[in-house]
Amino acid sequence: MLGWAVLLLWADRGPVERRGVLLITVLVIFGLASAGFYAVTSSLIARPSMILTWVFQAFLVALFSYSYFRSKPATLPKGEGTTLPMSPADTAWLHMDEPENPADIVLLMTFDEPPSYEPLKKTVTERLLKYDRFRQRVVETDGHPYWDNDVDFQIENHVLRHALAAPLTEDRLADVVAELGNQALDPKRPLWSMHMVEGSDGTVALVFRLHHCIADGFALAHAMATPAEGADGAPVSDISGPGAPEEHRPLSDRLLHRVEELMRHPGHAVDLMKQGAEVARSIGHLLFVPFDQETVLKRKLTGRRRMAWSSGMSLDTVKSVARARGATLNDVLMGAMTGALRRFLAELGEPVDELSIRAIIPVNLRPARFIEEVGDSMGNRFGLVFLELPVDEQTTQARIRALKERMDTIKRTPEALVAFRILTALGRTPANWEHMVNDVFGRKASLVVTNVPGPRAPVYFGGKRIREVMFW
């Protein structure tokens, strides 16, 4: 646990040499090996059951030590613009990108009336580009990524127009979104693009893409509300409150504050020990949760994605269902999704009455419940938790009840924050390490389920009301 504590503190500091984290990781492995040795000598675990684990730990120590001695100190790249180091959490998402599993976000916006191209481009230029990340490209040296101002930036390279020869029906729109979503972002330019798709029937939709290293879904939802107006024409961002000033307060500063509190109130030490035990349990759960059951959902990824969506339903209806069952809105939505997943797997011949599929759930860590409350900052600020989906439950009531109990248990733990710190630590390790760890954690779940809140009031874009906003 000491090794993990040092590792998480290291990950929270400013830009430093990432090679040093290799030695800290070796300390973590030694700690785990020592714990296993203690368990064997205390007759808590049989010696034969630990042999394979010790061999694997020895292999990791050798690998990390070899990587440390082979690594070189990083040198700041000589970019053409202002060069700034990428944060560790954003670095982790940059290095997660693989051909068979792109780490980008796709957003679709539809309208009651079609917007025009020039006003759209003007709106994006004036409001969206106030975020530096949309004018910066990513450059890397020795595996260390940096944000570099694109001195050749032109809005026309990112806000593109597509005229179709056919009407923009829902099926055709799904094909277009998939086609655009499967195109690689140009690594020589800022990693985003906006596509204005015009059907021959006058229907218009916007497809927005950006790499996950720029922002998470919560920040992106806020950014996309920024180049929009309310019914009175005022920018949504003008009526949005700023983010909390301590949103990105370093973990080390918070710990120092906690130590000062303990000096004034020694009785709080018991509470701190309880919190430490919860963190330790969360680390153990994240590290040692077993691989998920093999189903058709575990097939090898191809990198080709399809986007789909269902018809909308009244939010008031969902809320009334939640109130009637003493559950949250998310509990009901997760219950509906789990029921649909059960039917899908049953149609493919899976033994659904014996399955309990595990999902990865992103958890927002910003001090805001709604996108209007998010400050004007990009980046990734969310943790990940594992949730067992009760696919084996046969009734809707049973599924919602099981999900509520499991989510309530997760909410009482610091698992999401611990996962974020581990992800931040991974952002300071070589990319090949990240790929290895991502592969291991990816095998612990079968799908990712996320829910990003939208605006709470009607929003207009270039004077045209937005009808629907969807993310993938």
Side-chain angles (χ1 to χ4, degrees):
M1 291 303 103
L2 173 62
W4 276 109
V6 175
L7 184 63
L8 297 181
L9 281 171
W10 184 296
D12 199 70
R13 302 304 301 171
V16 294
E17 277 294 339
R18 292 195 296 162
R19 64 200 297 260
V21 81
L22 303 178
L23 297 182
I24 298 176
T25 308
V26 171
L27 177 61
V28 174
I29 298 174
F30 272 124
L32 293 173
S34 300
F37 180 77
Y38 171 80
V40 169
T41 56
S42 301
S43 300
L44 299 175
I45 300 178
R47 185 185 301 272
S49 64
M50 285 298 298
I51 298 298
L52 185 60
T53 300
W54 282 334
V55 170
F56 180 64
Q57 289 170 339
F59 167 74
L60 289 180
V61 168
L63 175 64
F64 293 171
S65 300
Y66 173 78
S67 298
Y68 173 79
F69 289 110
R70 290 273 305 197
S71 61
K72 300 178 180 179
T75 56
L76 194 66
K78 297 184 181 298
E80 296 177 340
T82 302
T83 305
L84 298 172
M86 184 180 291
S87 74
D90 297 340
T91 298
W93 282 103
L94 175 69
H95 290 164
M96 282 185 199
D97 197 304
E98 296 179 325
E100 65 275 9
N101 190 19
D104 59 8
I105 301 174
V106 180
L107 177 148
L108 171 65
M109 300 170 65
T110 60
F111 301 85
D112 289 337
E113 298 180 47
S116 300
Y117 177 72
E118 289 300 328
L120 168 66
K121 188 171 65 173
K122 183 175 182 293
T123 300
V124 171
T125 301
E126 292 177 347
R127 299 179 186 163
L128 190 61
L129 296 187
K130 73 176 184 178
Y131 300 97
D132 293 338
R133 293 294 177 262
F134 290 96
R135 291 183 176 271
Q136 295 171 325
R137 60 195 181 97
V138 177
V139 295
E140 288 200 55
T141 179
D142 297 329
H144 297 253
Y146 298 84
W147 297 108
D148 185 56
N149 288 344
D150 185 1
V151 296
D152 297 321
F153 179 86
Q154 294 183 5
I155 189 66
E156 290 80 10
N157 292 329
H158 296 269
V159 181
L160 309 172
R161 191 173 186 176
H162 304 267
L164 305 182
L168 193 59
T169 62
E170 184 169 305
D171 289 341
R172 179 58 179 142
L173 179 58
D175 292 339
V176 171
V177 174
E179 179 182 347
L180 295 174
N182 285 309
Q183 294 178 4
L185 293 166
D186 188 349
K188 297 179 181 179
R189 292 174 175 163
L191 298 175
W192 68 276
S193 62
M194 180 179 289
H195 304 265
M196 179 177 176
V197 182
E198 303 172 272
S200 62
D201 57 349
T203 305
V204 172
L206 288 182
V207 180
F208 183 78
R209 298 183 58 221
L210 89 164
H211 199 282
H212 220 308
C213 69
I214 295 178
D216 57 29
F218 218 87
L220 176 59
H222 173 73
M224 289 310 297
T226 296
E229 310 92 36
D232 59 355
V236 171
S237 57
D238 289 351
I239 58 177
S240 301
E246 297 191 1
E247 178 178 340
H248 299 291
R249 187 182 179 189
L251 175 63
S252 53
D253 291 352
R254 295 197 297 271
L255 290 178
L256 180 60
H257 176 68
R258 180 58 61 87
V259 171
E260 292 173 349
E261 281 189 342
L262 287 177
M263 294 177 65
R264 292 193 298 266
H265 307 285
H268 291 177
V270 175
D271 293 335
L272 185 60
M273 291 176 63
K274 291 180 180 178
Q275 293 175 16
E278 288 292 337
V279 170
R281 279 194 289 268
S282 295
I283 292 175
H285 179 252
L286 289 170
L287 293 179
F288 299 113
V289 63
F291 293 157
D292 207 8
Q293 292 179 257
E294 290 293 331
T295 66
V296 293
L297 299 177
K298 303 292 285 183
R299 291 175 179 171
K300 184 177 178 61
L301 299 175
T302 65
R304 296 294 299 175
R305 298 175 293 180
R306 291 188 295 174
M307 285 67 173
W309 55 89
S310 62
S311 57
M313 65 174 60
S314 168
L315 185 61
D316 290 336
T317 299
V318 182
K319 288 181 177 179
S320 64
V321 173
R323 285 193 297 268
R325 288 165 171 76
T328 67
L329 180 67
N330 276 340
D331 294 335
V332 173
L333 293 177
M334 289 295 294
M337 189 278 299
T338 303
L341 186 61
R342 174 184 169 88
R343 292 189 293 273
F344 171 75
L345 292 173
E347 291 174 359
L348 296 178
E350 295 285 354
V352 291
D353 291 334
E354 304 170 7
L355 288 181
S356 183
I357 301 297
R358 192 177 298 117
I360 294 176
I361 311 293
V363 178
N364 172 51
L365 295 177
R366 289 181 171 84
R369 291 181 56 201
F370 305 104
I371 61 172
E372 295 91 345
E373 300 169 350
V374 177
D376 286 341
S377 62
M378 292 288 99
N380 291 273
R381 183 78 179 175
F382 67 97
L384 301 170
V385 298
F386 290 109
L387 175 65
E388 296 280 350
L389 301 179
V391 178
D392 55 331
E393 295 287 357
Q394 298 183 8
T395 66
T396 300
Q397 182 72 19
R399 287 191 289 268
I400 294 178
R401 182 172 57 251
L403 285 164
K404 174 176 171 52
E405 292 174 354
R406 295 171 189 180
M407 283 304 301
D408 287 348
T409 299
I410 291 174
K411 291 173 184 177
R412 290 192 292 267
T413 72
E415 190 168 312
L417 181 59
V418 170
F420 175 73
R421 294 302 176 192
I422 293 176
L423 183 68
T424 303
L426 284 175
R428 295 196 181 280
T429 64
N432 57 341
W433 287 24
E434 292 185 41
H435 292 157
M436 179 179 66
V437 174
N438 290 337
D439 180 65
V440 172
F441 274 85
R443 295 174 66 184
K444 295 173 182 286
S446 297
L447 67 159
V448 178
V449 182
T450 186
N451 177 26
V452 178
R456 288 173 289 171
V459 175
Y460 295 74
F461 198 102
K464 306 301 181 182
R465 177 169 170 162
I466 299 174
R467 183 171 68 241
E468 293 178 313
V469 180
M470 289 169 280
F471 288 83
W472 294 273

